[in-house]
């Protein structure tokens, strides 16, 4: 005869460690979305930094000297001049950021939903709780991810230094972390965290409310149950949107 301990040991990992499983699923969904959309982020950053660099050098003549025009031509220019894989240059810190951010906010939201706020007597989760929970989860997730977000931005700005003919500051992701830590200490990794969490709170007010609505719809209108797979599918839908921001 099996004991409760045996049943727990034989149960799926998602049931034994639901929060850890949700963190991993959300992180994986965010990674896939980030890999798919990163070339768009890279071309956007190239357009931004080339404009800033040209203005610094040439002033009013910057428009005529800009080598890239538009997202498509920028992407094609990168492929022709640097190679196809350069469209994913700097993707590593972006993946780190989305794993920490997406996993952290989803676990926080589910904890607030199930433990802190709780459902009403009819098992319904009111909209106002989703809004507040989403904002709080966004604050926690962004605060945890701020060091990776900082490194991502710093490494993207290396492109501007290259356009200006300046030496690069970082050899890679880990070197960037180490240099920021050496120069600014632990606090240096959280530079700019206040505006970041303010933005994250507003974004997640919409994102996680949508997540909860999608999950509720799937449970009511499909054979899916309220389990870790449904959570992962719902978070994947908003993860794809989030990775493009």
């Amino acid at each position: 005869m099996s004991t409760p301990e045996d049943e727990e040991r034989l149960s799926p990992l998602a049931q034994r460690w639901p929060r850890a499983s949700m963190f991993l699923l959300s992180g994986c969904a965010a990674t896939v979305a980030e890999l798919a959309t990163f070339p768009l982020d890279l071309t956007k950053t190239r357009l931004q930094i080339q404009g800033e660099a040209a203005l610094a050098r040439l002033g009013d003549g910057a428009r005529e000297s800009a080598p890239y025009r538009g997202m498509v031509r920028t992407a094609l220019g990168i492929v022709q001049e640097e190679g196809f894989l350069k469209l994913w240059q700097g993707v590593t810190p972006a993946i780190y950021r989305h794993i920490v951010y997406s996993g952290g906010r989803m676990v926080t939201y589910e904890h607030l939903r199930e433990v802190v706020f709780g459902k009403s007597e009819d098992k319904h989760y009111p909209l106002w709780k989703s809004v507040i929970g989403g904002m709080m989860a966004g604050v926690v997730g962004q605060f945890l991810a701020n060091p990776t977000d900082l490194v991502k931005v710093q490494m993207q700005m290396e492109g501007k230094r290259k356009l200006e003919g300046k030496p690069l500051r970082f050899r890679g992701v880990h070197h960037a972390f180490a240099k920021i830590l050496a120069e600014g200490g632990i606090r240096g990794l959280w530079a700019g965290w206040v505006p970041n969490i303010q933005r994250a709170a507003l974004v997640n007010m919409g994102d996680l409310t949508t997540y909860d609505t999608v999950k509720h719809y799937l449970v009511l209108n499909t054979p899916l149950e309220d389990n870790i797979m449904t959570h992962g599918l719902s978070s994947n839908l908003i993860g794809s949107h989030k990775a493009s921001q």
Side-chain angles (χ1 to χ4, degrees), residues 41-241:
D41 191 30
L42 178 69
T43 54
K44 176 200 72 175
T45 303
R46 286 290 185 93
L47 284 168
Q48 290 173 332
I49 63 177
Q50 78 159 7
E52 294 175 4
L55 282 172
R57 293 196 315 267
L58 304 173
D60 294 337
R63 182 178 297 274
E64 288 73 17
S65 67
Y68 296 143
R69 302 286 176 83
M71 293 288 289
V72 174
R73 292 181 64 180
T74 299
L76 290 176
I78 293 172
V79 172
Q80 293 172 354
E81 297 170 9
E82 305 174 42
F84 180 73
L85 293 181
K86 288 297 182 178
L87 289 174
W88 283 269
Q89 185 177 28
V91 72
T92 303
I95 290 176
Y96 288 169
R97 187 257 180 188
H98 278 288
I99 290 176
V100 176
Y101 174 70
S102 296
R105 68 175 180 152
M106 293 306 301
V107 170
T108 301
Y109 182 77
E110 284 296 321
H111 180 78
L112 292 171
R113 184 179 188 275
E114 302 296 334
V115 179
V116 178
F117 293 133
K119 298 179 181 178
S120 59
E121 294 182 359
D122 60 355
K123 303 300 182 181
H124 177 67
Y125 196 60
L127 178 63
W128 70 269
K129 290 185 179 181
S130 294
V131 170
I132 295 176
M135 294 181 70
M136 294 176 66
V139 167
V140 173
Q142 180 58 51
F143 183 79
L144 293 175
N146 199 80
T148 56
D149 205 16
L150 177 65
V151 169
K152 172 191 171 184
V153 173
Q154 290 286 343
M155 294 194 69
Q156 285 180 328
M157 292 304 294
E158 290 293 89
K160 180 179 178 180
R161 294 179 64 87
K162 186 175 181 180
L163 286 172
E164 294 175 343
K166 297 179 180 179
L168 300 182
R169 296 169 298 172
F170 309 124
R171 295 191 299 270
V173 178
H174 300 101
H175 180 241
F177 272 111
K179 189 169 184 179
I180 293 172
L181 187 62
E183 294 177 354
I186 294 294
R187 290 186 178 181
L189 293 174
W190 271 268
W193 69 273
V194 174
N196 279 343
I197 66 171
Q198 291 173 343
R199 176 183 181 275
L202 295 176
V203 169
N204 282 275
M205 180 177 64
D207 274 357
L208 293 180
T209 300
T210 303
Y211 155 81
D212 221 26
T213 302
V214 170
K215 185 177 70 172
H216 188 64
Y217 177 85
L218 292 175
V219 171
L220 291 180
N221 297 279
T222 71
L224 296 173
E225 298 179 355
D226 189 1
N227 53 30
I228 193 67
M229 294 307 297
T230 306
H231 297 178
L233 178 59
S234 303
S235 65
N236 189 36
L237 294 175
I238 65 169
S240 299
H241 168 258

